[in-house]
Amino acid sequence: MNWNGKDAALVEQQKNYIDTVLVPLVPLDFGKEFRQSAEQYEFIGLLADFLERQFKGRIVVTPPYAYVPEMAGNAALWSQKARSAAFKHVFFLTADSMWRARENELGGSVILVPSVPLGNMEESVKYSLISHQAKQLVQMVVEKWQENME
Amino acid sequence: MGKQPVSRRQFLNYTLTGVGGFMAAGMLMPMVRFAVDPVLKGEAAGDFHPTQQKIADLTDVPVRVDFSYEQTDAWYTSEVTSTAWVYKNDKNEIVALSPICKHLGCTVSWEGSGHKDKFFCPCHNGMYEKNGKNVPNTPPLRPLDVYPTAEKDGLLQLGKPQANNIV
Ligand code: FES
């Protein structure tokens, strides 16, 4: 489900089935990493869209959580709130490798994907690249649901 | 007053008619455009989108066909990508099913997670027969939608998905 009024109404009705929150997690930088942070945002956004379409009936995709380093840890508040509103699973989708070491802080599963700079790529090339990446993610998401059940 | 070529009242009349005219035109133009624009009309009538799938290559095993086309949203035109599962049935007719699960809209896949001869939905284990019929006692309550199909130069074309009445 997307973050809009129509989908949100469905989420409220079907909370038993739509039990997962996916938070795109993107670093924000205005200096040296400016371009890289924009690229990650673009890439993660496209992947999140793809996953939303694949798992529309079970996952709701939130607005991205964007952070400067000092704010990174606050992402945990999102998962905390989501859980206390009875969402069973919280997934964070990110290309920021820092989270590899800090997954435990977040209170959710981290799906870490290496970012691909999309630059001026043509739409169709972009699409096939993203869908290739996303196909592997699909399997990962299904596995995370199973792990979390145990 | 009387000597002036345009009286105050006349002046107001002219200008207000002018403004009103602009406003009316502003409202009418889009309506006229909707009424006559052949592209918009075509969309409404459900015209066909080309795909790269060769008709000759289709067998009785469903294959995934991705295709994209332009769609105009509220503010801009974007490229949308859709998917169909396509095969030939035992009467040699082409069947193209929408992958959108009729439960809550996840994407189903043919023999997903090892479910033989079924379309499988990974979200809540929904299942469908090959012809799109939903399997009882799984969450979906209706069969998968079907795409109208057409052929052009040996390639498959797909229309707008419709409720399935072949099952
Ligand atoms: S969305 Fe397919 S079974 Fe629920």
Side-chain angles (χ1 to χ4, degrees), chain A residues 17 57, chain B residues 101-106 108 121-126 128 139-140:
Chain A
Y17 287 112
Chain B
C101 181
K102 294 307 269 188
H103 178 221
L104 289 170
C106 292
V108 305
C121 177
C123 282
H124 319 102
N125 303 329
Y128 302 85

Side-chain angles (χ1 to χ4, degrees), chain B residues 62-95:
Chain B
V63 287
R64 196 192 156 108
V65 176
D66 290 328
F67 62 104
S68 34
Y69 53 92
E70 301 221 309
Q71 179 177 291
T72 308
D73 286 329
W75 312 112
Y76 53 88
T77 306
S78 57
E79 177 127 323
V80 213
T81 302
S82 291
T83 299
W85 287 100
V86 188
Y87 65 95
K88 281 185 179 152
N89 68 11
D90 38 19
K91 289 182 219 120
N92 219 25
E93 297 156 343
I94 297 168
V95 178

